[in-house]
Amino acid sequence: MPTEDELFAAVDALLTGEPEMPPPAERARLREAAGITQARLAQVLQTTTQSVKNWEAGRSEPRPPRRQAYQRLLDGWATQHPNHPNTPIPAALSGTPAPAAPSAEPLRPAVVEVPVRPAATSRRPAAKKAAKPAATSADPCFPHGPLAVLDGDGNAYAAGGVVLDCPAATVVELVEWTLKESGLGAARLNRNGKDSDPLVVLTAAAAVKLGLPERLEGREERRSLRLAEDHPVVRQIGAAKWRLTQRGFGPWARIYRKAEGSARQCVQLAVLSWDALDTRSWPGVATMGPADIARVLGVYAQRVITPRGSTAVSGLELMTALRPPTRAVQESGSWVSGRNPGSLGTDPMDPAPPEAIAEHPVVVNSGWTGGFLNEEAYQWVRAPELLSDEECLLPYAVGLDLNTAFLAAAARLTVGLSAPDHFHRPVFNKKIPGSWLADLSHIDLDPRLPSPFTPDGTRPTGPAWYQTHTLAYAQELGHDVHPVEAYLRRETGAYLDPWHDRLKTAYMDTLADLGVTVDLTDAEFLAAMEHYKHTDPAMAAVLAAIKATVKGGIGKLRERPQGRTYRDGDPWPAMQRPTWRPDIRAAVISKARVNMHRKLANMVKLTGLYPLAVLSDCVVYPSPGASPLDFLPYTASGKPLMGGFRLGPTPGLAKLEGVQGMAWAVDLMEKGLNPARHIKGGDAVLDDGE
């Protein structure tokens, strides 16, 4: 039993305990009554304006020593500006007992739900659809969503408008808080896969607070894009028995321990001030406030995947997350790990020599000199002497861009899943994915169109290696195909189908949030696309990231060696993963290029128009008007004709890329330049997916 002195001491401690802060609304009222701005208060308390806004909105609470200073200031203002009669008095100050607080899990931080910031007002409100808020995870294991953005005051902004209180002062403490208390993470995308590791994005202030440099400094750090191994933070991580991946502590760091049973112990960190969010893939995001960054990344994580690095890395990781390499199978009465049908498996696979690149060990060690697949995106310009007088007299050159052309090509695409087998004089079969050596130089096509068989659009000059779709298109055009050699795969499947379906849904949903929907007329679609980026910059950034995920993910299938010290024939990290599959990349690009040529040929049949230039998924046409509506084919009733280019938001359909004068386009063509590269203005350049 406690003694009387012990009980009296406990009661005295309770009586003299820390006073309760006034409610958020009262804090704001007192500050406004005193005539003090949030910025001025932040300056006095040596914090940020955003922190003051959070305190007054109830999203977070101040911590010592600012809490005591803030409390003293509020008490002084309360004396100077008594509470308005209509303002409720806090229970702690009224003398009435406060209701008992509900019990909470001891490891969960205090959380305040706040509404998601509404989308910015559009100048064309009738043409847009309200942005959907980022939904928090329904999985009770991850109640606060997949990620959080941490600021310098310990506020962790999660998806759905949740703000968590993070007390971590070191990276090790942050990792442990994330795994034990944050409630962050995301459920697996496939029942045979793994849950996504939680992601914490660090602002510059948060990075400095945790002992990291605001910027990577020093020649060694800049060259390797990671902290040196003797950096104090790296040493702290090792001393706490945590590990870093081989990439070290860079803009995207993974800190882990060996899993305990089925529970993973891994946290991802992204450092904003180290350029973790590339402006090309995430335009404007790095300069947003933490809450807006959390919204952008949260929507992307919900619709695509929790970011795991660049959008290219995320695109590749999404393939594996949707098609896990293994699954549980029963053997002799026990469960073991086995190959998951339709996946690429767990072991890297050597490509056929013509599918590889010159640096690959398969090529170097075998002395292969038989040539390589050249299945790349179009980069073609029509010869200026093939322009007619009628075309040159047209006033405009109009560029059309196909929406996510590589994503459209991935739909229902059959690819090889097993190792290649070598065949001599095989009979061509368009249903078998692989690489075929054939001579298509005898095929004579209209020079006003690019050849469908080469990236530069020139006629083949002799035997060359082609992917299945390219030869199948030669057959479709009515020509005989007689391969002399082939590398084919016996096990096949539509590996990219779930990847295509998820990204297509993400793309369409995000466009719809920006007011671009499938039910718009062509004229309404063009008007909506002209303004969609200004409707809601956050959702526009999500859309840009989704498009970059498509192109980057396909490009990663054939990632080349990097570094000045690399020597031909040495293995490099990328080629040692199961997803290093240049043959799958070639299949996607071959199908995309064939799809483009089919539309170009159909446009000749429907309208008599020939393109001026093609660059990847952008084509430029001469036009009598400044709109695609002036030259695209329509029926008498105004419906678009099938076969040619059609406008719309769906992957594979077209949108306006840019408009310039016809004289401008002809001048570039005569200089040997590609008008499609610059049609958008501002020296715009389209990439080819690498």
Side-chain angles (χ1 to χ4, degrees), residues 168-191:
T170 67
V171 169
V172 171
E173 291 177 0
L174 174 62
V175 169
E176 294 176 348
W177 173 84
T178 302
L179 291 174
K180 296 177 182 178
E181 302 182 41
S182 71
L184 297 175
R188 63 198 67 186
L189 298 180
N190 182 288
R191 65 178 183 175

Side-chain angles (χ1 to χ4, degrees), residues 292-315:
D292 288 328
I293 296 174
R295 179 187 175 214
V296 171
L297 298 181
V299 172
Y300 179 88
Q302 174 198 357
R303 296 180 179 178
V304 182
I305 193 172
T306 303
R308 301 187 181 184
S310 67
T311 49
V313 170
S314 297

Side-chain angles (χ1 to χ4, degrees), residues 59 110-114 116 136 143-144 148 156-164 294:
R59 290 191 289 265
V111 179
V112 180
E113 294 282 354
V114 298
V116 177
T136 55
H144 301 141
Y157 296 79
V162 172
V163 181
L164 309 175

Side-chain angles (χ1 to χ4, degrees), residues 71-342:
Q71 177 75 62
R72 182 176 182 181
L73 181 60
L74 292 174
D75 290 343
W77 282 342
T79 301
Q80 298 173 5
H81 310 284
N83 210 342
H84 192 277
N86 292 330
T87 302
I89 300 176
L93 303 179
S94 65
T96 58
S103 60
E105 294 182 14
L107 294 180
R108 295 296 184 199
V111 179
V112 180
E113 294 282 354
V114 298
V116 177
R117 190 177 71 86
T121 303
S122 170
R123 295 182 181 178
R124 298 168 54 85
K128 82 176 189 69
K129 178 181 176 182
K132 298 177 183 178
T136 55
S137 172
D139 192 322
C141 295
F142 311 112
H144 301 141
L147 56 88
V149 180
L150 183 64
D151 68 12
D153 293 319
N155 301 311
Y157 296 79
V162 172
V163 181
L164 309 175
D165 185 20
C166 176
T170 67
V171 169
V172 171
E173 291 177 0
L174 174 62
V175 169
E176 294 176 348
W177 173 84
T178 302
L179 291 174
K180 296 177 182 178
E181 302 182 41
S182 71
L184 297 175
R188 63 198 67 186
L189 298 180
N190 182 288
R191 65 178 183 175
N192 297 311
K194 300 175 182 177
D195 294 339
S196 289
D197 298 318
L199 168 65
V200 180
V201 181
L202 306 180
T203 63
V208 172
K209 177 182 176 181
L210 296 173
L212 298 169
E214 183 174 350
R215 293 279 180 184
L216 288 178
E217 298 177 355
R219 296 178 59 185
E220 180 63 28
E221 289 174 339
R222 289 187 180 276
R223 183 166 64 251
S224 61
L225 291 178
R226 62 184 181 185
L227 291 178
E229 294 183 2
D230 61 350
H231 190 278
V233 170
V234 177
R235 292 203 305 266
Q236 289 170 9
I237 292 170
K241 307 303 182 185
W242 289 97
R243 300 180 181 178
L244 290 164
T245 60
Q246 290 183 351
R247 291 193 300 177
F249 203 123
W252 290 87
R254 297 175 74 86
I255 303 174
Y256 72 98
R257 278 179 183 157
K258 187 177 180 180
E260 295 181 353
S262 60
R264 288 172 59 82
Q265 296 188 86
C266 182
V267 174
Q268 301 178 96
L269 300 181
V271 187
L272 290 175
S273 57
W274 296 2
D275 300 325
L277 298 181
D278 187 339
T279 56
R280 294 171 298 178
S281 302
W282 301 95
V285 177
T287 58
M288 293 180 178
D292 288 328
I293 296 174
R295 179 187 175 214
V296 171
L297 298 181
V299 172
Y300 179 88
Q302 174 198 357
R303 296 180 179 178
V304 182
I305 193 172
T306 303
R308 301 187 181 184
S310 67
T311 49
V313 170
S314 297
L316 197 67
E317 293 279 353
L318 180 63
M319 296 180 193
T320 304
L322 294 169
R323 293 275 200 190
T326 60
R327 65 170 182 169
V329 297
Q330 200 166 24
E331 289 184 3
S332 304
S334 60
W335 291 97
V336 297
S337 179
R339 164 81 185 279
N340 187 24

